[in-house]
Amino acid sequence: DEEEDDNNERILLGGSNSSRSLGVQHLDDYPHFFLNVSIALSNSCDMISNLCRNGWQRRPLCCMLFSVVLVMSALSPSAYTASKTAATKMKVATDNHDCLRPQINWIRDLPAKSLPKPYVNLGMPKMGTSTIHTYFACGGLTSKHWICGGDTRKITGDTVYCAKCINESIRFGLPPLSKCNKADVYAQIDMGPENLPQVETLEEIVQGIPNATFFLTFRNMTNWFNSLKNWGNPQSNMQTRFQRANLTGLPKGVGRDVTEFSNWYCGHVQRVREILRANPSHVLVEIDIEDPLAGQEMENIFGINRTCWGHANINEKIHHDVVIKKQLVGDEV
């Protein structure tokens, strides 16, 4: 209906790898009778096609007769069970894939300058927070990256962490950013796994800001997991810290491998999308930070030149090419 279409248009999503496999994700919505019939017809016609090429002249009749035989076998209880199981597996795989990649649903008639501010990132550490921060700063916007007040160049007693000022604002019944320094962009609002407002106070953040543009960032899950494992010292790397944190959807001890992290992040993405759909005054932007066209996507959405988009805060333990480049040309990457 028109109301649903209008709400859908309020959700802005990006990423060139976000095309859906239409039909597969809704496969189990159709009666399995028709599913089996279609499979049998397809198989029989393929078989008859080969036979006819070897001298059978009455191809349509052959196809029909053999189809009847194959359809009857396809409608057996064992075939029914097999097709139902296959359809279920296909839907589960597709659903999981959809929540681990950005979706496309472009907003019409909403130019970049009218996107509501602030822009708040609801993604996770090591998922492009520094890249988002430097992109908007390059474009002339004020951006906060995990420090929302005080001296951002060094940690002092006056340092105001975004996570703490958000939590304090919510605790006092104020809008979530009330005790944080004002900015156009909040590229990282957490303090790492131990303090994730975008998880633990997600509803309060979304509902407490009248109009905002929220981010969800994506990357290859194996790459993200490896980045977490290699960030920090071996005894207390970020992956280990996530395991210890006891987060909503990620209880203590869970997060041992990429599958557990993927399942958890999938749940976070689904939760964000559901809450944003219920709050149509907001905009949701989803971006794959590893997409080669991400810079162009950001330029299309925000009007800031794609040359401002790049990889910041790169983990040199993984990206050895960055270390080599520094040694050769002295670039600050």
Side-chain angles (χ1 to χ4, degrees):
D1 57 8
E2 293 182 0
E3 181 178 356
E4 182 178 353
D5 289 340
D6 183 64
N7 288 341
N8 286 338
E9 288 181 12
R10 299 290 299 174
I11 304 176
L12 176 61
L13 307 157
S16 66
N17 296 325
S18 53
S19 59
R20 290 186 169 200
S21 302
L22 293 176
V24 175
Q25 61 183 334
H26 300 299
L27 196 58
D28 66 345
D29 293 339
Y30 298 96
H32 287 86
F33 174 86
F34 296 107
L35 176 64
N36 288 331
V37 169
S38 64
I39 292 172
L41 286 171
S42 175
N43 290 340
S44 62
C45 287
D46 288 342
M47 179 184 295
I48 293 305
S49 177
N50 292 329
L51 290 172
C52 288
R53 279 197 295 268
N54 291 325
W56 289 37
Q57 299 300 317
R58 309 179 91 178
R59 181 173 172 177
L61 178 61
C62 292
C63 182
M64 181 181 67
L65 292 175
F66 274 77
S67 294
V68 171
V69 175
L70 290 176
V71 166
M72 292 177 64
S73 64
L75 296 179
S76 65
S78 60
Y80 175 87
T81 302
S83 63
K84 183 176 181 180
T85 302
T88 302
K89 288 182 177 179
M90 291 170 74
K91 184 178 187 304
V92 169
T94 306
D95 287 346
N96 287 342
H97 193 49
D98 283 348
C99 65
L100 295 177
R101 65 181 180 184
Q103 296 179 341
I104 294 178
N105 191 3
W106 294 102
I107 291 179
R108 297 191 295 269
D109 303 324
L110 190 60
K113 290 184 179 179
S114 69
L115 289 175
K117 291 190 179 83
Y119 305 156
V120 182
N121 183 17
L122 300 176
M124 295 295 153
K126 305 308 299 171
M127 266 199 181
T129 60
S130 297
T131 301
I132 290 173
H133 172 64
T134 56
Y135 173 78
F136 285 110
C138 173
L141 276 65
T142 57
S143 179
K144 301 297 181 183
H145 184 252
W146 81 283
I147 294 178
C148 282
D151 192 343
T152 59
R153 297 168 295 179
K154 60 182 179 180
I155 304 300
T156 68
D158 296 328
T159 298
V160 178
Y161 298 99
C162 298
K164 289 188 175 180
C165 62
I166 289 173
N167 291 337
E168 187 176 354
S169 299
I170 292 173
R171 187 168 64 252
F172 281 95
L174 301 171
L177 298 173
S178 297
K179 292 184 174 291
C180 305
N181 285 12
K182 188 175 181 180
D184 297 314
V185 184
Y186 296 88
Q188 182 174 0
I189 62 173
D190 58 77
M191 290 180 65
E194 297 79 10
N195 195 336
L196 288 169
Q198 66 266 43
V199 173
E200 303 304 332
T201 57
L202 175 61
E203 290 88 349
E204 290 88 343
I205 291 173
V206 172
Q207 295 170 5
I209 305 175
N211 296 281
T213 298
F214 291 99
F215 275 98
L216 267 177
T217 52
F218 296 80
R219 65 182 300 191
N220 177 277
M221 287 291 103
T222 300
N223 293 346
W224 183 45
F225 183 73
N226 289 336
S227 182
L228 295 175
K229 283 177 60 178
N230 287 279
W231 193 262
N233 63 67
Q235 291 74 32
S236 186
N237 59 49
M238 196 170 289
Q239 178 255 329
T240 303
R241 289 165 58 194
F242 266 103
Q243 272 189 266
R244 298 171 180 167
N246 194 26
L247 299 164
T248 298
L250 193 74
K252 191 172 182 179
V254 179
R256 295 162 295 184
D257 54 43
V258 67
T259 300
E260 292 183 348
F261 265 96
S262 298
N263 291 337
W264 175 64
Y265 194 63
C266 175
H268 176 66
V269 169
Q270 291 172 333
R271 187 173 164 223
V272 169
R273 289 172 177 169
E274 181 180 353
I275 292 173
L276 265 294
R277 278 195 293 268
N279 291 269
S281 64
H282 299 308
V283 172
L284 176 62
V285 174
E286 300 191 6
I287 197 80
D288 180 350
I289 66 165
E290 296 178 343
D291 187 341
L293 298 178
Q296 185 61 60
E297 296 281 4
M298 293 293 284
E299 181 177 333
N300 294 341
I301 297 169
F302 295 101
I304 298 174
N305 195 286
R306 61 184 178 275
T307 57
C308 286
W309 182 264
H311 297 289
N313 201 22
I314 292 176
N315 191 338
E316 296 179 2
K317 294 179 182 178
I318 299 175
H319 300 280
H320 302 292
D321 57 319
V322 175
V323 180
I324 294 172
K325 182 179 178 182
K326 282 185 175 181
Q327 292 172 346
L328 291 176
V329 299
D331 286 350
E332 182 179 351
V333 182

